[in-house]
Amino acid sequence: MSFKEKVIYQIYPKSFLDTNQDGVGDLPGIKQKMPYLKQLGVDMVWLSPIYSSPQKDNGYDVADYTAINPTFGTMEDFDNLMAAANEQGIEIMLDMVFNHVSTEYEWFQKALAGEKKYQDYFILRDEPTDWVSKFGGNAWAPFGETGRYYLHLFDKTQADLNWRNPEVREELFKVLRFWMAKGVKGFRFDVINLIGKDEVLKDCAENDGKPAYTDRPITHEFLQMMNQATFGQDTEMITVGEMSFTTVKECILYTKPDREELNMTFNFHHLKVDYKDGKKWTQMPFDFAKLKELFHTWGTQMSEESGWNALFWNNHDQPRALNRFIDVDNYRVAGAKMLASAIHLSRGTPYIYMGEEIGMLDPDYDSMEQYVDVESLNAYQELLDAGKTEKAAFEIVKAKSRDNSRTPMQWDNERYSGFSQVAPWLTIGRSAAEINVAKELQEGSIFKYYQQLIKLRKQYPVISDGSYEAFLPEHPQIYGYVRRLAEHSLLVINNFFAEETTIELPEEFLAGDVLIGNYAVENITREFTLKPYQTMAIYY
Ligand code: GLC
Ligand code: CA
């Protein structure tokens, strides 16, 4: 089966299931839930980082790429998890954080101790540039007592690696081979479009310096080298690159098969349509016209030029899409299905983030004390420094924090939602008694809807392989598209609002069949009225 027919499920290991009652999720917990994932029908499970790490950025600060973080378990637990997954026909994708390492990594420690070999593993300069860290503040920090500075595009404990050094590349390729030898079948590459730094780094006042270090041409060369040296030899491997602040043009280059870089890319433009003036730490209702334009541009251009998108609404860095795009007080269930259809029937490989399949919501915390994410804490401080009141700053953090999606999985309505028997590392969401797996499997319909979407992708080549074109691109409420493959077509219509709207269906679909939808449809008529958040796919 090609990556076009597969659906990938993301797990944030800290928050999935705690089996040794220390309040933190672990590998045996993930293993235990493999039958659940099998029931859902996903093909591959992507694990956010499970490696040795001081956890300053929840594992995205890796201290050893080939050691398991003891909080999550042992290498034996990992092997057991792999075996249990494979037994269910599920493959494992690991998260490779190759732009930077934790400053606790042996390489950085040796560099600090003066070893020249390791100093060349990092980006050290006498004169720092004016770049701003993505987690706030200066992107450069003093390199010990040397008078030099090291680059950290993220937290100051995450030092950027020098990919221009062939020894660094070889170290990283070795890491990939290590995990491939264990049977890992997929890699998700963290902020991989930042790895290629120019030889001469330049100041850049625009956008905190991003244009100076993002999507640099040499990045493509590095990806080709990595492909050739590792996963490119194995046609079953699936690779996805997380692309920060990128363009469709670049993503076509990253994913066009004949360039031999990656299978697909994540981009985040569609999750910035509720950023005021492009700034994350603000609040604004989402801009539907912009969302649609982005989906259509990416959908059409990737389709025309043989690129491939990773499709997603949620991940461990985003507040829950339900809270952002849907009136959840009145339409949580219909809205969850509409959002799911909008991407699962589109052109690309869909990703489900844990809890999405039961319609989980943001936790609705009531105090700053409940947040732990470094980015959120920094942002709160910056908002106060900029003159916001505590209440106003809190409201923004509450809407935007990455912790929104990192709360423990809601398995049942027990005290700690079946995640653990002790207080978890991050407070459980307020809705856990109402929204949980046990209840959803008994009487819910969102999980079933996801099951159906996953099956359809495997049954209908027009879903996995069809082209993409926009439908009613100017409509103020509808996001729609048509997929085509040989003699078959699929029309997908999504009402993104709580108000009804009447549209005209194209002639060619009047004799079609409804493949899936969130309301019962009696008749496909030329004049068709869509209910609040209605989604419907017509196959002809
Ligand atoms: C990516 C990860 C995020 C992490 C950052 C730095 O954006 O998804 O969680 O903080 O990279 O590694
Ligand atoms: Ca545990």
Side-chain angles (χ1 to χ4, degrees), residues 18-22 24-26 71:
D18 174 24
T19 57
N20 64 346
Q21 313 313 332
D22 63 354
V24 184
D26 42 53
T71 315

Side-chain angles (χ1 to χ4, degrees), residues 326 331 333-339 341-342 449 477-479 492-501 503 514 516-523 528-538:
I326 305 294
Y331 299 102
V333 175
K337 294 176 188 172
M338 188 279 288
L339 289 180
S341 267
Y449 196 84
Q477 264 179 258
I478 303 290
Y479 166 53
V492 182
I493 308 171
N494 307 291
N495 179 5
F496 263 74
F497 292 88
E499 290 75 44
E500 291 193 347
T501 183
I503 57 169
V514 176
I516 186 166
N518 56 357
Y519 290 84
V521 174
E522 308 276 293
N523 280 313
F528 193 92
T529 300
L530 290 149
K531 301 207 165 61
Y533 297 107
Q534 181 160 8
T535 176
M536 160 171 90
I538 310 177

Side-chain angles (χ1 to χ4, degrees), residues 46-49 51 60 93-97 188-190 316:
W46 151 27
L47 304 178
S48 278
Y51 323 103
Y60 284 89
M93 168 182 272
L94 290 186
D95 209 320
M96 291 294 149
V97 191
R188 177 262 188 192
F189 292 102
D190 193 65
H316 63 291

Side-chain angles (χ1 to χ4, degrees), residues 217-226 259 261:
I218 198 163
T219 301
H220 293 285
E221 288 172 44
F222 291 152
L223 290 177
Q224 286 161 4
M225 291 178 197
M226 178 161 80
R259 291 180 55 89
E261 297 186 18

